[in-house]
Amino acid sequence: MDFNEVAAVSGKGGLFKVVSPTRTGVILEALDGSGKKIIANIQAKVSILSDISIYTTDEEGAVPLQDVLRKIHVEFKGDTGLTSSSDPDELKSFLKFILPEYDESRVYVSDIKKLVTWYNTMAKTLPELLEKKEEQEQTGEKPAEKEKKAAAPKAKKAATKTKSEK
């Protein structure tokens, strides 16, 4: 699974796994473990997590949400100690610690609450998604390169068999 397969729906709490597209929308399954599925039609505002960013005051102007979630995971390893009902000042200082350059005038407390809720959900249900980047940085390889290296010996063996059989 990847951040391209995780979505948030406006008006619905929590995160959803994208199951499959339909003619008029998309089928989503709740990540909370309930197994509940919903059909989000064209009118529903569905946001894929890989498309979401957090405003910053630096040159780039925004940081992808997936990078922020991975930074949180590196620092807190699944337990931030925060919930959506935490004190607003505590939530702001939390984000300031994780992302010092975040734009305080454009990122609201409600956005930070969503960030904390989404992180807590993902840390429970999809921790491997938050750790992918760490493994990639340690090995210095992209996942696609890793898969190619793993497939190369198999392809080589298959080619060798084909030559020897001739």
Side-chain angles (χ1 to χ4, degrees), residues 116-131:
V116 168
T117 303
W118 291 351
Y119 174 76
N120 290 338
T121 301
M122 291 185 74
K124 288 178 189 171
T125 59
L126 299 170
E128 68 279 356
L129 189 59
L130 298 170
E131 295 167 357

Side-chain angles (χ1 to χ4, degrees), residues 1-138:
M1 182 174 277
D2 199 5
F3 279 95
N4 293 331
E5 300 170 30
V6 180
V9 180
S10 182
K12 304 275 185 192
L15 293 174
F16 299 87
K17 174 185 173 187
V18 177
V19 177
S20 67
T22 66
R23 286 184 293 151
T24 59
V26 66
I27 299 172
L28 303 170
E29 182 178 353
L31 283 181
D32 62 5
S34 67
K36 185 174 97 176
K37 291 184 180 182
I38 64 169
I39 298 174
N41 60 21
I42 294 171
Q43 287 84 19
K45 186 174 180 189
V46 178
S47 301
I48 304 297
L49 292 194
S50 63
D51 295 340
I52 299 173
S53 296
I54 296 179
Y55 292 116
T56 60
T57 56
D58 60 4
E59 288 179 12
E60 293 181 26
V63 174
L65 178 66
Q66 57 192 0
D67 293 348
V68 175
L69 289 169
R70 287 181 174 139
K71 277 184 184 180
I72 294 170
H73 194 68
V74 168
E75 291 293 326
F76 294 96
K77 300 291 183 203
D79 185 21
T80 60
L82 297 172
T83 64
S84 61
S85 59
S86 296
D87 182 57
D89 291 331
E90 191 176 4
L91 291 167
K92 287 179 184 178
S93 64
F94 164 74
L95 188 56
K96 191 73 164 172
F97 173 74
I98 295 299
L99 192 65
E101 65 276 4
Y102 92 94
D103 190 345
E104 294 179 38
S105 65
R106 295 170 75 187
V107 178
Y108 303 109
V109 174
S110 60
D111 299 327
I112 303 170
K113 287 180 180 183
K114 280 185 209 172
L115 173 67
V116 168
T117 303
W118 291 351
Y119 174 76
N120 290 338
T121 301
M122 291 185 74
K124 288 178 189 171
T125 59
L126 299 170
E128 68 279 356
L129 189 59
L130 298 170
E131 295 167 357
K132 274 186 179 178
K133 184 87 169 188
E134 290 176 38
E135 292 171 11
Q136 183 179 333
E137 288 174 357
Q138 289 173 358

